[in-house]
Amino acid sequence: MDICILGAGPGGATAALHLANAGQPCLLLDRATFPRDKTCGDALSGKVINELRRIDANLPARLAASAEQVPCWGISFFAPNGRPVEVPFRAHYNPAAEAAPGHVAKRLDFDNLLIEQVRQRPEIDFREGVDVARHERLPDGRWQLFAADGTLVATPRLLLIANGAQSAQARQIGGHVLEPAHHSAGLRTYYEGVTGMHPHGFIELHFLKEFLPGYLWIFPLPNGQANVGVGMRTDKVSAKKINLRARLDEILTTHPSFKNRFAQAQRLGPVRGMGLPLGSKRCSLSGAGYLLLGDAGSLIDPFTGEGISHAMVSGRHAADWAARAVQAQNFTADFLKGYDAAVYNRLWQELRLSRAMQRLLAYPWLFNFVANRAVRNPTLAQTLTNMFLDLDLREQLRRPGFYLKMMFGR
């Protein structure tokens, strides 16, 4: 088979499903057996819903009907001074009459939703429990993929590398290395019984000075549970010598904003760590015979930490360029650069602006100022709402005139 996808998370599964929709067979490998857990914040933005719709128009409704998700109508940002700014995904929304623009669902369940679609497609040869431990490239350009016991798994012409932030193939084939200034360390755990959750499922981002540039999050889940975690840029973790695990425990039990909310809460299972390669630096996403998708391509939003939708966007474009390569029988680096252009044409402006917003977190006083003004100024609050929906408005954050308008406008 010409195309092999390593990793059946959102990026890999999306690529496989788009290839199937185009009538192109592929091999999809994952070392896990589904359903399986994945350490993540579990939030599914409107961009995820749009990508689901591109796979199958019925998928968003299928997700919304699932008992394993909660509808999400917005974000509550908490400035370093504790001031909240609520940013609904839609102005004047009506939960009783509209489909939710976002959701929160455990990756255990969301990834399995995609895998259930994969299992129904005869064009996809899906193999679970297969760990590709070694690879070689033959003189004719084909790859040889071997399991840990030396068994030959496949000999594809094109590799779609979608096996996550710790991908050995992204390092060994794609040359990606961990750069602390473009990488975030994260922790996630689950709780039940956290009080004070928003009635309309708003996710919470708390920009505490202890974790800047980064934040503590609380995301609602079904059955009274919550995903709780913290992420902070790796170079700052090292520079400040912060033990994230100990600091998270301390803040949840002693900080005035959390101690009462977590007083009766019970932790469900361990605190798990994760590494997040951020899309704050443009990277090469392809080369002779391979494409990098999602976290393996360092495409995580540097401000919000969102990675699922970006993985799905890259999966869609990877399927397009993989099919083109097969049709043209051209797997050269020059040909596959079209994939890089397609992905960054869709994502780079957003990633660049998020990087600029991340830099603003170096000035907590500025974040406090914006939050204070937004609470008292409905026009400003609406502008901030639109910024997280419209990139042209988000561009205003980078213009000095915007801050003058905030200071003196109404």
Side-chain angles (χ1 to χ4, degrees):
M1 197 170 289
D2 283 328
I3 301 171
C4 177
I5 304 170
L6 300 180
T14 295
L17 289 165
H18 278 294
L19 285 168
N21 287 343
Q24 174 65 54
C26 67
L27 172 63
L28 177 62
L29 305 177
D30 200 289
R31 65 182 180 181
T33 300
F34 287 76
R36 60 95 177 94
D37 189 21
K38 180 75 172 179
T39 306
C40 180
D42 296 337
L44 307 172
S45 70
K47 291 181 290 185
V48 171
I49 306 308
N50 289 336
E51 292 302 320
L52 286 176
R53 190 174 292 112
R54 288 175 180 268
I55 296 169
D56 182 331
N58 296 316
L59 275 180
R62 200 166 300 165
L63 172 64
S66 169
E68 308 304 325
Q69 60 78 39
V70 294
C72 177
W73 292 90
I75 305 176
S76 295
F77 292 89
F78 292 81
N81 63 4
R83 174 80 71 174
V85 180
E86 290 193 353
V87 179
F89 292 138
R90 291 180 190 153
H92 314 298
Y93 65 93
N94 182 357
E98 305 173 43
H103 302 268
V104 187
K106 291 182 179 179
R107 288 288 299 276
L108 178 79
D109 301 307
F110 176 72
D111 289 16
N112 202 52
L113 173 74
L114 290 173
I115 292 301
E116 287 174 353
Q117 305 305 306
V118 165
R119 295 189 197 280
Q120 296 173 21
R121 303 305 298 264
E123 304 92 341
I124 304 172
D125 180 1
F126 177 43
R127 305 181 196 172
E128 302 170 84
V130 177
D131 187 7
V132 175
R134 186 169 65 86
H135 63 269
E136 293 178 4
R137 195 144 191 254
L138 299 174
D140 68 356
R142 285 191 174 273
W143 297 95
Q144 286 188 319
L145 306 179
F146 299 94
D149 63 1
T151 303
L152 180 64
V153 176
T155 56
R157 297 290 302 277
L158 180 62
L159 277 182
L160 274 57
I161 300 170
N163 50 358
Q166 311 304 321
S167 171
Q169 289 77 24
R171 295 192 306 272
Q172 296 164 6
I173 298 174
H176 280 215
V177 295
L178 190 156
E179 298 184 63
H182 302 281
H183 187 274
S184 180
L187 299 174
R188 178 225 72 185
T189 189
Y190 291 120
Y191 277 87
E192 64 178 0
V194 180
T195 60
M197 306 296 281
H198 194 284
H200 297 149
F202 279 41
I203 62 175
E204 301 177 27
L205 306 183
H206 296 264
F207 292 88
L208 304 173
K209 64 179 186 297
E210 292 92 340
F211 295 132
L212 296 178
Y215 58 81
L216 183 151
W217 70 78
I218 304 174
F219 295 171
L221 283 165
N223 305 312
Q225 297 183 13
N227 181 315
V228 180
V230 64
M232 184 176 181
R233 218 170 67 198
T234 301
D235 60 332
K236 299 300 182 181
V237 173
S238 299
K240 296 182 179 182
K241 297 181 171 58
I242 293 177
N243 182 321
L244 284 181
R245 196 176 301 259
R247 199 76 180 99
L248 176 63
D249 283 340
E250 178 185 354
I251 283 177
L252 294 180
T253 55
T254 65
H255 193 284
S257 297
F258 306 109
K259 63 179 182 179
N260 292 333
R261 296 182 63 187
F262 282 81
Q264 303 301 319
Q266 298 294 317
R267 181 175 289 170
L268 306 173
V271 178
R272 299 193 183 279
M274 55 186 165
L276 305 173
L278 304 176
S280 47
K281 177 182 177 182
R282 194 161 177 151
C283 300
S284 174
L285 300 176
S286 65
Y290 73 87
L291 306 175
L292 300 177
L293 285 63
D295 294 5
S298 300
L299 292 174
I300 294 173
D301 188 290
F303 182 70
T304 66
E306 180 179 6
I308 298 173
S309 70
H310 292 183
M312 296 178 75
V313 166
S314 67
R316 171 164 53 87
H317 287 296
D320 177 33
W321 279 90
R324 294 189 195 202
V326 170
Q327 184 177 16
Q329 284 298 290
N330 188 343
F331 303 94
T332 63
D334 281 346
F335 183 84
L336 293 173
K337 281 181 181 176
Y339 165 70
D340 298 54
V343 170
Y344 281 123
N345 183 59
R346 170 62 182 84
L347 296 178
W348 183 241
Q349 183 189 27
E350 187 167 347
L351 292 171
R352 180 174 57 85
L353 292 175
S354 288
R355 171 64 164 164
M357 293 165 72
Q358 183 199 63
R359 289 192 182 107
L360 290 180
L361 296 179
Y363 308 98
W365 62 269
L366 181 57
F367 204 129
N368 291 335
F369 172 73
V370 173
N372 289 337
R373 291 288 297 179
V375 168
R376 299 192 301 269
N377 185 333
T379 301
L380 173 59
Q382 185 61 50
T383 299
L384 291 175
T385 296
N386 291 338
M387 281 185 178
F388 290 91
L389 303 175
D390 187 321
L391 293 179
D392 291 335
L393 285 172
R394 284 175 62 187
E395 183 73 35
Q396 294 183 50
L397 275 178
R398 306 178 74 241
R399 298 174 182 169
F402 171 73
Y403 299 102
L404 292 174
K405 187 180 294 185
M406 280 200 308
M407 190 174 298
F408 300 112
R410 291 291 181 268

